[in-house]
Amino acid sequence: PFCFPVTISLWDMGGDPPMRELSFGNIPGKRGLFRMSVNPGQEDDLEQWLWDIWGKGNIGLFCDEATLLPQKGAMKAILRQGRSKLLPVIACTQRPVEIDREFFTESQFKMIFKLDDVRDYKTVEMFTGGADVKPRLPPHWSYWCDTKQGATWKLKPTPPPKEIARQLREIVPYSWFLG
């Protein structure tokens, strides 16, 4: 999974249009980038919204911190049936030990950055075929694990945000964002 911290400022650097705001009860249109802020105490609303996404299908999700998602039925259903319902998920977490197993068992790729807790290492090792991800890498480097190939590689950092924004302006057609 692509676990680069995406922020509004990165997209703003890329030029118009920025991400569009979503709220509970609204489902994304056919195309575009959308953002929805969720606060503690809104777990029931988020659970219902995820069920609505599951029902519609053909929507990709990016979760900045998977430990904050409700550990109920909707996210499990999305993870288990996502391929057949065209619901790809990119989920990030700082604490692998605290998220549902489905985030690991249903993913094809895993990107691992520096971990500090031995429990997190053990969790990651269980779902990467015992890949040795303990050796410290330079800042912003990561391990990329491909489940199907049973292989792990070291990845260098991504380009700086301004360079990513420049590349987005060049290769992503404006009409893609309009939905």
Side-chain angles (χ1 to χ4, degrees), residues 24-94:
F24 294 117
N26 295 325
I27 301 297
K30 189 172 183 179
R31 291 183 286 179
L33 294 173
F34 301 87
R35 180 178 189 273
M36 185 168 73
S37 296
V38 180
N39 296 314
Q42 295 180 307
E43 293 82 6
D44 291 340
D45 293 330
L46 180 55
E47 178 74 4
Q48 182 56 55
W49 185 82
L50 289 169
W51 276 120
D52 294 343
I53 294 295
W54 179 87
K56 182 176 185 217
N58 199 27
I59 297 172
L61 297 174
F62 174 88
C63 307
D64 187 41
E65 183 49 70
T67 59
L68 299 177
L69 290 168
Q71 294 190 18
K72 299 180 182 177
M75 198 65 215
K76 286 178 182 282
I78 288 170
L79 292 168
R80 290 178 182 172
Q81 298 176 317
R83 282 183 281 279
S84 64
K85 296 185 74 58
L86 301 176
L87 294 168
V89 175
I90 297 173
C92 304
T93 184
Q94 297 178 49

Side-chain angles (χ1 to χ4, degrees), residues 101-118:
R101 295 175 52 88
E102 283 84 2
F103 281 101
F104 294 104
T105 60
E106 303 303 318
S107 68
Q108 182 177 347
F109 305 107
K110 296 155 190 80
M111 188 173 205
I112 299 118
F113 289 87
K114 180 182 141 240
L115 298 170
D116 292 318
D117 189 310
V118 68

